[in-house]
Amino acid sequence: MTLNGWLQIAIMLALVVLTARPLGSFLATVMDGRRCFLTPALMPVEGRIYALAGVDQTREQTWLQYVAALLAFNAAGFVLLYAILRLQGFLPLNPQGFGALSEHLAFNTAVSFVTNTNWQSYGGETTLSYFSQMVGLTVQNFVSAATGMAIIVPLARAFSRANASTVGNFWVDLTRVTLYVLVPLSIVMAFALIALGVPQNLSNYIDATTLEGAKQTIAQGPVASQLAIKQLGTNGGGFFNVNSAHPYENPNIWTNTLEAWGILALALALAVAFGRMIGREREGWALLGVMMLFMIVGCAIAYWAEAAGNPFMHAMGVDGGNMEGKEVRFGIPQSAVWATFTTGASNGSVNSMHDSYMPLGGLVPLLLIQIGEVVPGGVGSGLYGIVVFAIIAMFVAGLMVGRTPEYLGKKLEAKEVKMAMLAILIMPAFILGFSAVSAVLPAALAGLNNPGPRGYSEILYAFSSAAGNNGSAFAGLTANAPWYDTTLGITMLACRFGIIVPVMAIIGSLAAKPRLAPSSGTFPTDGALFVALLAGVIVIVSGLEFFPALALGPIAEHFQMLAGKTF
Amino acid sequence: MVRKLYNSASFDGSLLWRAAADAVRKLDPRQLIKNSVMFVTAVVSALVTVLFARDLIAGQPSAFSGQIAAWLWFTVLFANFAEALAEGRGRAQAESLRKTRTETLANRLSDPKNRERRETVSALDLRPGDNVLVVAGEIIPGDGEIIEGVASVNEAAVTGESAPVIREAGGDRSAVTGGTTVLSDWIVVRITSSPGSSFLDRMIALVEGAERQKTPNEIALNVLLAGMTIVFLIAVVTLTGLGAYSGTSIAVTVLVALLVTLIPTTIGGLLSAIGIAGMDRLLRFNVLAMSGRAVEAAGDVDTLLLDKTGTITFGNRLATEIVPVPGVSEREAAEAALLASLADETPEGRSIVTLAQEKYGLALPGNVPQGTFIAFSASTRLSGIDIETRKLRKGAVDAVLKFAGGTQSVAEPPAFRASVDRIARAGGTPLGLVEGDRLLGVIHLKDVVKPDIKERFAQLRRMGIKTVMITGDNPVTAAAIASEAGVDDFVAEATPEDKLRYIRNEQAEGRLIAMCGDGTNDAPALAQADVAVAMQSGTQAAREAGNMVDLDSNPTKLIEVVEISKQLLMTRGSLTTFSIANDVAKYFAIIPALFVASLPELGALNIMHLATPESAILSAVIFNALIIVALIPLALKGVAYRPIGAAALLRRNLLVYGLGGLAAPFIGIKLVDLAVSSLHLV
C-alpha cells in the first residue's frame, strides 16, 4: 500500500460523489417531467414517439398496469433479441461470418441483456456480429437501464403522493429517461472515449504478424459507442471478452477514470434525484451516504488485500502486491477501485480478473453482489433495492422510538413487510439453491477449472452475479454449457422481475396511504444514525445468510493460505 | 379510596406453576402453528428427537443429539411459558370479574311509562330496546341508558371505585353499565347491548386475553420473522450441498442446531407475551382498550386534544387577589369580601374566604355576625350580607355599579375600571365589591391551572406531541390560560363542529390525533380521532365512539396511555433488534465447529475458544433457549420509555439492544461452554 495508491482511490471516490448533485438535479427535472435545457430539441421527438406508439402521455396507470406494461415491454425485448441471436448468420454487418448462437446460449444472452445483467457466457469478438452487438445488445443496454430508472419515478411518487391510486405512466417514464438522459449522456461519453483513443469502426478484423512472428487477429468494431452505455447503464457487457482490461476498450488511465466514473455516476445521482423528487433532498443524500460507506470500505479492503500480496510469492522472494490478472497500466489501486465499483453497482465490467484476486480481495466483490446490489446497485434497481432495505430497517428499528414504523411519511404495515421480505428472499433462494445443486452435480462440476475452495467460489460467484444482475465473473468457470446457461438465465430473470413486481406492489400500497407529517417524535432518516443503522441492517439481513456459504469459499481459502495450504 | 382494578404486578408461586403447566399444554400443534418461528422450532425438535431415538435403539452414541433435542424442546417450552405467564396475570382478574356477573334477574316493563306492569326475566333474555326497572339494592341487568329517574349507583364492579355516582336520565350522565348496583331510588333503563357483548363481557374477554386479536403491527412483525425464518432455512438447507463440495457431510442434528440458533427465536418466543403484557399494563391503569389498533396508534399520536375544564384547570374559578380602589385599605376590602362570602357555598365564594384568610391574614369571625345573608340570584347577579346598616355586596361589575348608584349606575372611579380591565385581559373574571354606595374594590376570580399540568405538557412536547386546549371561553381568556398552562395551541369558543373540523384539518396534514371526551356532543369528534378515550362516567354514545374507556374518568390519563403504547412498540423493536444481532456470535460458535473435519483451518474463526465442536454447538443452543427465559421479565415489564426525543431514544436503544445484542451472546455462549465442558456434558 502506498500513499499514492490511497490518493488515487480517494480521487475516484470524490469524483463520483461530486457529480452526483448536478446530475441528480438534472435527473429529477427530467423524471418529474419538467422543462430542461434539452426540452426544445427533444420535445418534438418525444411527442412523435408517443404518437407512433399510441401512448396517451397524460393517462396514468395503477401500479398493476404499470408493472404489466413493464413486463410486456421486457418480454418483447427478449423475443426480439433471442431472434436476432438465433438468426445472426442471415443478418447484415457480419464481416467475420459468425453463425447462430446455440439455443441455450441465445436464451442466456437474451435474458442477460434484457435484465441489465450482461453476464456473458461467450466471448464478444469471437461470437457476435456487429449487427448483434449494435441492434441487439446495445438497444437492450439502453432500455434495460431505462426500465430500472423508470421505476424510480413511481417510487418517488409512492412517498410524495397521498391517497393516490395511480403511480404514473411506464411508457412516458421509459421514454423520457432514455431520450433525455441515457442517449445524450452516452453520445457525449462516446465522443470523449474516441478522443481518448478508443476505436469506433465497422472494419474487418486485422491479421497482424507479431514481433515473434506469430499470426494475430486484431478484433475491431464500434467499441466507443457500446462502451459508453455499458458503463452508464450499469450493464457491463464488454465488447471484447476481457472487457475493460482490453487495450481497445480501456486504453489508458484517462479512459479508465472516465469509465470507472461512469459505473457509479447515474446510480449515485439517482439517490440525489429521489431525494429531490420527494421534496426532501437530505433523505436522498442519506441513502447515498450508505452507498458510499460500502464503496469506501470495499475499496479499502480490496486494496489492502491485493497490495498485501501473496505470502507464497513472498516466500519465493517476489515482493509486492498481487499483480496477477491485473493490467500494468492501471495497477492495484485502480483495479481495486474498479472491482469495488463494478460489483457495488450491478455493472459487471472488469478491468482486472477477479478470479485472480487474493481470497479476501475476491471476497469484496462477491459480498457486494450478495448483499443485494444495492450499494449503490444498478441504475434504478439499486435505489429501489436499498429502499426495500430501508423499509425493513425502519420496520425493526422504527419501533424503537415508540411509534409504529414509518418511512418518509408513510406507515409500514404487513403488506409492505411481506413484499419487502419477498424481494429480499429471492436472491438467497436462487444463489444458494443453484450453487448447492451445482456443487454436487457432475455436469456442473465439469465446468470448473480450479480445484479447492476457489472452484467453489467460482460457482457461488456465477450465481451471485446472475442473481444480482451484475454480470461479472470469477472467470475460471466454463459457463457456456446447457446447465449453467439455463440455470443462470433463470436466476437472472427471477431476480430481476421477482424483485420488480414486489417493489411495484409496495409502491402501489404506499402511494395509496396518507402522508404523515414529521414531528420531533419521528425517527429522523436523514442523519448519520440512520446511515449506520441501514448499513448494519444490509450487512446483517443480507450478509448473514451468505456467511456459511462464504465460510466454505473465500474465508476457508484465506485461512488455508495462511496455513500454507495449496491446491 | 380507589381500589385499583388490577394489582398483580409480581409473580407468585402458583402463577408460575400454572404457567408452566400451560406451557406444556401449548405444545398443541394447533396453537403452535400461529407462531411461525416456534412452529419451525417445534418441527425440527421433533425431527432431532426421532434421530435421537434411532441412535438410542441402534446403540449409537446419543448423548449429544439427546441433549440438543432436549434444549430445542426447552426453547419451545420457554416461549410458551412466557406467553402463559403473561396470560395468567389477567386470568385471575377475569375470574373475580366473572363472579360479579352472577345470574341477574330483571324487571322488564312492557311500557316504559307504566312502572306497574312488569315481568321478571333473566338478564340473559334481555335484548337491545327492552326497558327495565331497577330499584335500590338491585344489580343493573345490562348496559343501557336511563330514560327515566335518577339514582346513585355503585360502579365498583367495573371501575373499582366504591364511592357512589349519580346517574340520571337526559344529559351526559345517563349511561349505566351492567353489573353495577343501584344504591338508592329507582331508574328505568333502556337496554343497549345484547347478552354476551356487554361492557362487562368485553372486559372479561380483554382481561383474559381470550379474544386477543393480533394487532396490525404485531401481524406485520410476524411476517418479517417468518420471512427471516425462510431465509435461514434456505441458508441451512443449501449448506448440505455446498458443504458436500469440500467433502463435508453435516449431521442433521447439527444443521438443526444451526437453524434454530439463527432464526429469530428470541423475539418469536416473546412477541405474543409482549403484546399481552402491554394490554395488561393499560388495564392496570384502569384503561380498557377496545381495539389493539388503538393501542398502537396511541404511540403515534402527534396531537393531543384536551378539554380545558377539569383537565387543564380545576374547572372552578378561584379568587386569587383582592384589588382595593384608592382610599380603601387592602385589609378593609379583604374583610368586606370575607363577610360578603361567609354564607356563599359556591366554590368561588369559598375560595374568597380561603384567600382572605391565607393571603390577607384575616381570621374567621369567632361568632358569625348577626345579619341577613343575601343569596345570589340570576336577576340581581349579586350576593352578600346585611349586618345592621352595612350592606356588603359582591357580584358582576355592572350589577355592583348599579347597586352602588341606587337606581342608576354610579360613575366608576378610573382606578376601578383599570383593575377590571386588567383582570379581564388576563383571562380572569372581575367581581365588584361594594358597601352601600361605596365601591371597595375588585376581586380577581381566576380559572386556576392545575399545578403539575405545565410540566406534563413539557414532557409531551419532549415526546414530540403537540397539545391543544379546547374551551368554550372567549379567545382572550383562552389565550391567557393557554399560555399559563403551556399548551401549544387552543381552540376558543369551540362548538362540537369546531372540534371535528380541527381534528379533520390536523389529519389532513398527516397528523394522528388523540382526544378524550365524555359527552354525547363529543361523540362525533371521538369517532373521528385516531385515539379516542371515553370516560367511563360519560354517555353511552361517547363510550361507543371511543376506542378506549378510562374507568377512572381521568382526562390526563391519555398521557399514560401514550407512554404505555410507546413502551409496547419499543419493547418489540428492541427485542427484535437484539434477537437478530445475536446471530453474529452464533455463527462464530457454530461455523468453525461445522467444518472442523474438512476445513480445519476455519478453526481460526473460533474466536471464543470454545472447548470442542460439540460443546460449541450445544452451548449456542442452550444460550439460545436460556436467553428467552432471561428476557421474560423485560418482555412483561417493557423497555423503559424516556421522553428525550426520537433521535436520542433511538441512539440509546440501538446501543443497548443493537450493540448489546452483538456482544451479549459472545459472553453468554462462552460461559455456557465453560459449564458444559467442565460438567463433561458432551
Side-chain angles (χ1 to χ4, degrees), chain B residues 398-428:
Chain B
D398 52 343
V400 163
L401 291 174
K402 210 168 174 184
F403 180 82
T407 49
Q408 65 203 59
S409 293
V410 71
E412 50 183 332
F416 182 84
R417 185 76 251 167
S419 302
V420 166
D421 287 347
R422 179 177 62 79
I423 291 166
R425 266 201 310 280

Side-chain angles (χ1 to χ4, degrees), chain A residues 400 402 404 452 517 520 523 544-545, chain B residues 231 245 300 464 510 566 587 650 653:
Chain A
M400 283 199 287
T404 59
S520 66
F523 186 132
L544 276 189
E545 64 213 25
Chain B
V231 167
Y245 177 90
D300 296 345
K566 284 189 178 293
Y587 269 128
L650 181 70
N653 284 336

